[in-house]
Amino acid sequence: MSKLVAFAGIQGGYNIVSKVEGRYKKALESFDATTKVGFPNTAYYLPVIYSLLGIKVETLEDMKKPLEVTRKLLPPHIKGSNHLPYLGPLLDAGMAALFAFEIDEAIRYLEDPDFYHVSEETDIDNGRIWLGAAEDTIFRKRGVEFVDGSAPGFAAIVGAAPNPEIAKMIIEEYQKRSIYVFLAANQNGTTCAEQLIEAGVEIGWNTKIVPFGPDISSAIFALGFANRVAMAFGGVPAGDYKKILLYNKDRVFAFVNALGDVNAEWAAAAAGCVNWGFPTIADTDIPEILPTGICTYEHVLGNIAHEEIVDKSVETRGLKVTISEIDIPCSFGPAYEGERVRGKDLFCQMGGGKTLCTEFLEIADMNAIEDGKVTVVGPDITDIKEGDVLPLGIFMQAAGREFQEDFEPILERQTHHLINYIQGVMHAGQRDIAWVRVSKAAVEKGFTLKDLGVVLHAKLHQDFKAIVDKIQVTLYTKQEDVDKLTAKARAAYVHRDSRVDKMTDEDVETFYSCTLCQSFAPSHVCTVSPERTGLCGAYNWMDCKASYQINPTGPNQPIEKGEVLNAKLGEFKGVNEFVAKASRGAVTKYNFYSMVQDPMTTCGCCEAIAAMLPACNGVMTVNREYTGETPCGMKFTTLAGVMGGGASSPGFVGHSKFNITQRKFILGDGGILRMVWMPKALKEEIRGRFEKRAEEMGHPGLLDKIADETVGLTEEEILPFLQEKGHPALDMEPLVG
């Protein structure tokens, strides 16, 4: 903190207190000491003084005591050398200034009772635009909004913008976020309130744009309003200043915008607001107070461009904006999550083996993205005809003070159910094997791909407001753009998956559930362990742990393993108990490491499905991208249709591609030594990791002994190949006895 900040704020405090002391002395000369004072139609005396000091100021005489407290709060002036510009003395000077402001405004009410228009609305025609302190009827009507969340917070704007157009632009940005705006003070002979009137903007409590007064002292009405909220709705008793200030910091998300040159008195007011946890963000080049401490983040920021001041204010205060309405042409909600878009209803689709469809969320710098920006790069639904297919890349960028790289897959996976919430739109799969189908009915209502971004922006804000401050979505539909995004995404997927490489199921006592897909598969309960990633491939154990930390009541719940009932097959008492409860009794138990005996349930989002091939004494697996026939007699789509409803079907199990090379993959049945067939493209995709795992098991070169579609599509066709290559499965004990 610079010497200049401390000097200006403390000097401003002295100036304000001295001026008010002089005004109080004159008031005593003009009025009897027993003259009643206060703000009209309120029951909180002078609310800042009453709430923080517990002093009821009802008469002129009563002002004497808080004025004495105010004078004692003023710290020594800053010295020219060896100064100690600590934040504490500056905060005391600021608090003194605010106490003095409240007394000053009370004297104004006494001396000029018609100065403020005591109403909820302005009377512009008669020049009555200043509303002063909110009456209790207004306060109770509006204050509750700061408790129930309908009002995220308020911006106390002091001064004036360079012109009415800029003033209007700033205020409209706050209105979009449902943030109240409290106006006070003037700059160069004009005020923000007057600029808004000139720009044709209606002001008053009814529009959430409240012109308190033309002087910096009238900013005290905003703080009085906040403290009344703490007392009336927070139940904080008057005089408990610590609880009052903490309530405001934690519950009333307010901040100050200083527009125009900041003088010493403004500096004192800004310092005073810091006591509430309310930071000041200015458009001029003022000395800043950047370390965090009293405020959630920085205390004072300067030289912020007008185009950025709203976003920077929201970010600095840590204010979480709730988007109550999602502006898309289709109905939206969980009721549509299990809806299917079948062939006769289909207008177009992306992914699902027809094209490449990738979804990827990446952490971004706060200044690098624009919250709410949704862009479609390439053809949209309006540019194609019924029956067409498009490649699709859904690129989401998230930023937030509390956002971490570990949270990327958690938010990315929300794409599945959030898109499914749109009536007439279906989503399956994940990562780079997603599948989006759009119905004719949705297109007739006006649905476009941009609406996907609108939904993702709104719901990720809504569901993850504790960690997300900004979301930007870009949707690519040109093949070259989707290819670039997919390459980038796949590198990120590898990095995410590698985090659990060295962990074992024995290392932990807790696994995690995932029930994101129960809308499509009601009895499905996916359990994720260090050595068994989620069958969708999007979540590993670390991801689920992070998801639970973000949302303790969400779909990823901790499961205590409990007693090991069968170490070879991977059966745990705690897991069985959880699964029975979460599946509502449909499934009472399953094994982690077997596909032959009571395997885990499967949903339609799995990346791959393994099936037993008895004649070869082995198993095969087929990934979603492969569309051909397989030796088990079923394509992937048929397998998914049979398995994907949440059933535990001996001889079949859904899994992720990464899981194939994890150490516990069907280890109870022999592990990858049982793998006798898989699509050629999948073999190449996992070759590096597979060969490493095969070598660990004493069978280097195993991958080249595994048949693929170029060898055959039936057990009879691939068996001679396996015999020729000396596949180990042929010499293992029978898979079924």
Side-chain angles (χ1 to χ4, degrees):
M1 187 181 75
S2 74
K3 173 183 174 182
L4 185 58
V5 173
F7 175 83
I10 293 173
Q11 184 60 52
Y14 272 92
N15 293 348
I16 293 165
V17 172
S18 296
K19 184 165 53 176
V20 173
E21 286 174 334
R23 188 172 187 184
Y24 176 61
K25 183 178 179 180
K26 288 183 179 179
L28 285 174
E29 295 170 355
S30 303
F31 299 91
D32 188 273
T34 61
T35 302
K36 295 289 184 180
V37 296
F39 301 148
N41 305 320
T42 69
Y44 294 89
Y45 310 100
L46 302 188
V48 173
I49 291 171
Y50 176 56
S51 60
L52 297 179
L53 301 179
I55 299 174
K56 298 178 181 180
V57 177
E58 299 179 82
T59 67
L60 268 178
E61 178 69 24
D62 293 337
M63 288 181 174
K64 183 177 180 181
K65 186 175 180 180
L67 267 177
E68 290 173 352
V69 173
T70 297
R71 172 57 67 174
K72 289 178 182 178
L73 277 173
L74 292 172
H77 286 282
I78 294 297
K79 297 179 180 179
S81 60
N82 300 323
H83 67 280
L84 298 174
Y86 296 125
L87 190 55
L90 178 59
L91 298 182
D92 287 343
M95 189 63 83
L98 296 178
F99 286 154
F101 277 160
E102 193 163 51
I103 292 171
D104 193 39
E105 287 295 338
I107 294 173
R108 190 206 295 270
Y109 269 109
L110 176 64
E111 294 178 338
D112 188 358
D114 293 327
F115 184 85
Y116 292 116
H117 184 53
V118 183
S119 173
E120 190 169 359
E121 299 182 12
T122 59
D123 183 8
I124 296 174
D125 293 339
N126 294 307
R128 307 292 304 280
I129 67 171
W130 305 114
L131 301 181
E135 298 177 274
D136 279 351
T137 53
I138 298 173
F139 160 69
R140 292 198 173 275
K141 177 181 177 182
R142 304 288 177 172
V144 72
E145 296 181 31
F146 292 86
V147 180
D148 66 16
S150 52
F154 70 76
I157 296 182
V158 296
N163 57 59
E165 291 72 30
I166 291 176
K168 180 181 179 182
M169 178 269 294
I170 293 172
I171 268 59
E172 286 181 343
E173 287 300 311
Y174 283 127
Q175 285 184 305
K176 290 177 184 177
R177 295 162 173 80
S178 297
I179 295 172
Y180 272 81
V181 178
F182 295 157
L183 306 173
N186 65 84
Q187 184 72 213
N188 298 324
T190 189
T191 64
C192 189
E194 291 166 316
Q195 290 179 321
L196 294 175
I197 293 170
E198 183 179 342
V201 177
E202 185 179 351
I203 61 176
W205 281 102
N206 58 317
T207 61
K208 299 185 178 181
I209 307 168
V210 187
F212 278 139
D215 302 312
I216 187 63
S217 58
S218 57
I220 196 64
F221 297 134
L223 296 172
F225 184 91
N227 282 17
R228 289 158 74 184
V229 169
M231 289 187 287
F233 301 108
V236 183
D240 194 338
Y241 66 90
K242 288 184 179 179
K243 286 186 178 179
I244 290 284
L245 296 176
L246 282 173
Y247 183 94
N248 275 281
K249 177 186 177 183
D250 297 336
R251 300 288 297 275
V252 181
F253 291 90
F255 51 88
V256 179
N257 282 165
L259 303 182
D261 296 329
V262 177
N263 57 33
E265 292 190 2
W266 282 27
C273 289
V274 169
N275 287 285
W276 273 255
F278 299 170
T280 293
I281 299 90
D283 64 349
T284 54
D285 190 10
I286 63 171
E288 298 180 313
I289 305 178
L290 299 180
T292 59
I294 310 300
C295 296
T296 303
Y297 300 116
E298 295 87 359
H299 299 79
V300 177
L301 292 176
N303 207 28
I304 305 300
H306 296 115
E307 296 78 16
E308 301 172 3
I309 199 165
V310 173
D311 281 342
K312 180 58 72 174
S313 298
V314 168
E315 171 198 337
T316 304
R317 182 59 182 94
L319 189 153
K320 304 302 178 183
V321 178
T322 299
I323 301 170
S324 56
E325 293 187 11
I326 300 176
D327 187 18
I328 62 173
C330 301
S331 297
F332 179 87
Y336 304 108
E337 189 179 5
E339 181 185 36
R340 304 280 183 173
V341 177
R342 306 192 186 279
K344 63 183 178 60
D345 305 316
L346 181 67
F347 180 84
C348 68
Q349 58 184 315
M350 289 69 69
K354 309 293 188 299
T355 63
L356 183 60
C357 183
T358 298
E359 50 202 31
F360 177 50
L361 185 142
E362 183 180 50
I363 190 171
D365 182 84
M366 289 283 279
N367 298 320
I369 63 174
E370 179 183 336
D371 185 44
K373 183 178 180 181
V374 179
T375 308
V376 178
V377 180
D380 204 332
I381 289 176
T382 53
D383 303 313
I384 62 176
K385 64 181 184 299
E386 183 180 322
D388 281 354
V389 295
L390 282 173
L392 180 63
I394 303 174
F395 182 41
M396 298 159 281
Q397 293 169 281
R401 296 276 190 147
E402 306 300 325
F403 196 75
Q404 305 170 25
E405 184 180 330
D406 285 350
F407 299 157
E408 289 177 342
I410 289 90
L411 271 69
E412 181 180 289
R413 184 62 179 130
Q414 307 308 307
T415 307
H416 173 62
H417 72 275
L418 295 182
I419 290 179
N420 275 316
Y421 280 4
I422 306 171
Q423 184 182 25
V425 180
M426 187 187 107
H427 179 282
Q430 69 294 313
R431 287 190 169 182
D432 58 345
I433 57 170
W435 187 16
V436 178
R437 292 166 68 89
V438 180
S439 70
K440 299 172 187 175
V443 175
E444 287 170 2
K445 290 181 179 180
F447 177 83
T448 67
L449 291 180
K450 185 174 182 179
D451 294 320
L452 297 179
V454 172
V455 165
L456 292 171
H457 166 259
K459 290 298 291 180
L460 290 177
H461 256 304
Q462 192 176 90
D463 296 345
F464 296 93
K465 59 186 177 182
I467 58 171
V468 169
D469 294 320
K470 290 183 176 182
I471 292 285
Q472 179 173 303
V473 183
T474 307
L475 299 119
Y476 297 104
T477 60
K478 294 179 180 178
Q479 189 64 54
E480 59 269 28
D481 293 330
V482 178
D483 288 342
K484 288 178 183 177
L485 177 67
T486 303
K488 181 179 181 180
R490 284 173 177 167
Y493 302 155
V494 170
H495 170 69
R496 294 172 187 173
D497 292 338
S498 67
R499 294 178 303 163
V500 295
D501 260 358
K502 295 182 180 179
M503 294 182 67
T504 70
D505 287 357
E506 290 77 18
D507 289 338
V508 301
E509 295 301 319
T510 303
F511 295 163
Y512 287 91
S513 69
C514 184
T515 54
L516 274 171
C517 297
Q518 280 198 340
S519 60
F520 285 99
S523 60
H524 173 59
V525 182
C526 190
T527 301
V528 181
S529 72
E531 294 184 276
R532 195 187 197 285
T533 56
L535 55 82
C536 68
Y539 274 11
N540 60 37
W541 185 87
M542 293 288 288
D543 299 331
C544 290
K545 182 180 179 182
S547 176
Y548 175 69
Q549 291 172 339
I550 297 169
N551 182 12
T553 61
N556 304 115
Q557 294 295 307
I559 303 174
E560 295 301 319
K561 291 191 302 186
E563 181 184 352
V564 180
L565 301 179
N566 191 316
K568 178 183 177 182
L569 300 179
E571 183 181 7
F572 306 93
K573 183 178 180 182
V575 173
N576 286 346
E577 291 172 348
F578 184 93
V579 169
K581 183 178 179 180
S583 69
R584 299 166 185 83
V587 180
T588 58
K589 65 176 184 176
Y590 57 48
N591 297 316
F592 270 65
Y593 314 139
S594 176
M595 60 173 287
V596 176
Q597 300 182 50
D598 297 319
M600 192 177 290
T601 57
T602 297
C603 78
C605 285
C606 57
E607 284 191 302
I609 297 176
M612 191 165 58
L613 299 179
C616 299
N617 201 35
V619 302
M620 56 146 277
T621 191
V622 55
N623 55 309
R624 182 180 295 272
E625 300 96 315
Y626 177 76
T627 59
E629 297 291 342
T630 73
C632 75
M634 291 180 279
K635 297 181 179 180
F636 178 89
T637 51
T638 306
L639 284 167
V642 174
M643 298 288 303
S648 173
S649 303
F652 302 87
V653 73
H655 59 88
S656 68
K657 290 185 284 188
F658 185 79
N659 185 223
I660 299 171
T661 54
Q662 290 184 288
R663 287 176 291 272
K664 294 292 200 308
F665 176 68
I666 61 170
L667 192 59
D669 306 322
I672 60 171
L673 301 186
R674 291 283 189 183
M675 188 65 66
V676 297
W677 188 93
M678 71 171 78
K680 185 176 181 180
L682 179 59
K683 287 170 65 175
E684 295 308 314
E685 182 179 341
I686 65 173
R687 177 175 288 277
R689 287 180 52 83
F690 191 98
E691 289 179 339
K692 179 180 178 182
R693 176 65 183 137
E695 191 168 344
E696 287 176 359
M697 297 186 74
H699 285 269
L702 175 62
L703 190 63
D704 293 328
K705 297 178 181 179
I706 297 174
D708 55 41
E709 67 272 25
T710 65
V711 175
L713 297 175
T714 67
E715 290 190 75
E716 292 75 14
E717 288 174 347
I718 68 172
L719 184 57
F721 174 86
L722 302 175
Q723 293 169 335
E724 177 189 339
K725 297 293 184 180
H727 196 291
L730 301 178
D731 297 322
M732 297 173 72
E733 62 182 3
L735 192 57
V736 288

